[in-house]
Amino acid sequence: MKVINLFRDSRYTLIETEWEEARFIYLKDKEQKTESLGVAQRELPLKEMWEKHQREENYCLPCELLLHLEHKVLKGENSIAEMGLTAERLERFKELLKEVENESC
């Protein structure tokens, strides 16, 4: 797994990676206690989305992001929505992400 972009603030963690010959986008929302993982079919303007999130109070980063991801999985406190990706794939992604973070420390 290769991390391409990482954005983090007090609410969100947004990570773009190359994994399994695809581009994956992971978003964790600490406030809503949700996580999502999706496959980007094309390059997304993540930096611009992140900057817009920081500038505009009413901008919904998860909403915008999830519109661009065809295959995705969403996990909340008490629910999971699998739309082309499984919850198992999300958990495997998080395990690999921890390994990458540990290697870079």
Side-chain angles (χ1 to χ4, degrees):
M1 176 185 293
K2 177 184 174 187
V3 175
I4 300 167
N5 282 305
L6 174 93
F7 305 95
R8 187 175 281 147
D9 64 14
S10 61
R11 180 173 181 177
Y12 295 117
T13 299
L14 174 61
I15 303 171
E16 177 182 23
T17 67
E18 286 181 3
W19 178 44
E20 297 181 346
E21 300 179 17
R23 189 159 292 212
F24 282 82
I25 309 296
Y26 170 80
L27 181 67
K28 182 174 184 173
D29 183 337
K30 293 175 193 167
E31 192 174 293
Q32 295 293 321
K33 298 180 182 167
T34 60
E35 297 176 287
S36 62
L37 178 68
V39 178
Q41 302 298 325
R42 58 184 170 76
E43 195 165 324
L44 298 177
L46 293 181
K47 185 177 182 201
E48 290 82 7
M49 289 175 166
W50 186 258
E51 289 170 351
K52 190 171 182 179
H53 147 67
Q54 292 183 315
R55 279 191 322 268
E56 299 178 24
E57 185 177 315
N58 293 326
Y59 178 70
C60 180
L61 179 62
C63 302
E64 179 74 22
L65 185 61
L66 293 173
L67 287 173
H68 294 283
L69 302 173
E70 186 174 327
H71 302 287
K72 55 196 162 237
V73 57
L74 307 132
K75 181 179 177 185
E77 282 187 282
N78 300 312
S79 63
I80 296 174
E82 299 177 328
M83 295 170 272
L85 291 180
T86 63
E88 289 82 12
R89 175 70 64 88
L90 172 62
E91 295 306 316
R92 179 67 183 136
F93 179 88
K94 289 177 3 184
E95 289 171 13
L96 289 173
L97 193 57
K98 283 180 188 174
E99 290 175 18
V100 168
E101 288 175 346
N102 288 337
E103 289 173 6
S104 64
C105 291

